[in-house]
Amino acid sequence: MAILEVTELNRSFGGIVALDGVTFTLERGTTNAIIGPNGAGKTTLFNCITGYHIPDGGTVEFDGEDITTVPDYKTARQGVRRTFQEVDVFDELTVAENISLASFESDPEELMELLDLIEIHDKEGSELTLFERKRVSLALASEGDLLLLDEVFSGLNPTEKPEMIDYIDALAERKTIMLIEHDIETAFNLADTVTVLAQGQVMHTGTPEEMLEDEQVREEYIGEM
Ligand code: ATP
């Protein structure tokens, strides 16, 4: 069953059309990558799905319920969660405090364990590496059913990247994931389906294999892999 149905979504900022009739469906339990050039509308799409921005037209249905005009603090409670490109944790609070402050769960222990946060639970926000900060924000986002991950791999070093892939793989066993990713190889490794967004429009959707076989997609959006 579809967990998310986005239909004919439009959003402009002044004269700039960021989303132009975006339509797609996510099946429950799948991992989906969204790729496309800078300014394609990827972050705006996340903003409209979560209700941070209200679209000008079109609908967003989550679990069969219309959430198009539901604000983000409510969609988060309903189970639509995201990470941000800029990772935000409170510097003066420990990992455990950061998590318990923002957590909706009474016992976030399991997610902390999965993301190897137990061993750094008393480390302060200001002392965390980028990778650790990303794992804290991932733990918070992972309390939902649908996780929208915005460039979680950016800035990670070559040892951290495969570890992050393992974390996402583990989360993908329990959640539905949509990830914005500029590293095509990583995106294709993780994803069941790939959507190419350009100029606010869905240009292509398919499995990673289908994308790689499509010469036009390879030339225009993928390049060398
Ligand atoms: P990137 O890969 O660089 O993050 P993106 O695909 O996420 O890009 P968006 O950030 O969604 O693209 O931007 C799509 C278009 O909408 C861009 O032209 C951008 O300048 C514009 N835009 C997005 N948010 C706003 C805003 N709050 N105000 C004005 N213009 C905006």
Side-chain angles (χ1 to χ4, degrees), residues 66-82:
D66 190 333
I67 59 160
T68 316
T69 57
V70 179
D72 55 354
Y73 64 91
K74 284 191 181 159
T75 57
R77 284 197 178 272
Q78 284 174 274
V80 182
R81 293 298 193 92
R82 74 183 291 182

Side-chain angles (χ1 to χ4, degrees), residues 13-14 16-18 36-45 47 53 85 150-151 180 182 197:
F13 299 96
I16 298 168
V17 179
N38 290 336
K42 302 180 296 294
T43 300
T44 304
L45 178 61
N47 288 339
H53 285 147
Q85 260 168 290
D150 201 344
E151 296 189 33
I180 296 175
H182 281 289
L197 197 69

Side-chain angles (χ1 to χ4, degrees), residues 125-182:
S126 58
E127 296 168 351
L128 298 178
T129 65
L130 176 70
F131 187 34
E132 290 167 341
R133 292 165 81 92
K134 286 194 176 221
R135 275 149 52 204
V136 171
S137 65
L138 201 53
L140 293 169
S142 301
E143 291 184 0
D145 295 323
L146 172 62
L147 316 188
L148 306 175
L149 308 181
D150 201 344
E151 296 189 33
V152 280
F153 293 94
S154 70
L156 298 185
N157 69 38
T159 23
E160 293 164 344
K161 225 166 180 174
E163 288 179 37
M164 185 59 114
I165 290 178
D166 289 344
Y167 289 131
I168 307 281
D169 264 336
L171 288 170
E173 282 177 26
R174 336 158 171 223
K175 312 281 178 178
T176 309
I177 295 177
M178 186 170 204
L179 51 101
I180 296 175
E181 191 45 58
H182 281 289

Side-chain angles (χ1 to χ4, degrees), residues 39-95:
K42 302 180 296 294
T43 300
T44 304
L45 178 61
F46 276 13
N47 288 339
C48 285
I49 292 170
T50 53
Y52 178 72
H53 285 147
I54 304 302
D56 303 324
T59 55
V60 180
E61 278 183 34
F62 173 66
D63 253 348
E65 198 176 318
D66 190 333
I67 59 160
T68 316
T69 57
V70 179
D72 55 354
Y73 64 91
K74 284 191 181 159
T75 57
R77 284 197 178 272
Q78 284 174 274
V80 182
R81 293 298 193 92
R82 74 183 291 182
T83 64
F84 289 87
Q85 260 168 290
E86 298 298 322
V87 185
D88 249 349
V89 298
F90 289 106
D91 278 350
E92 64 281 11
L93 299 183
T94 66
V95 166

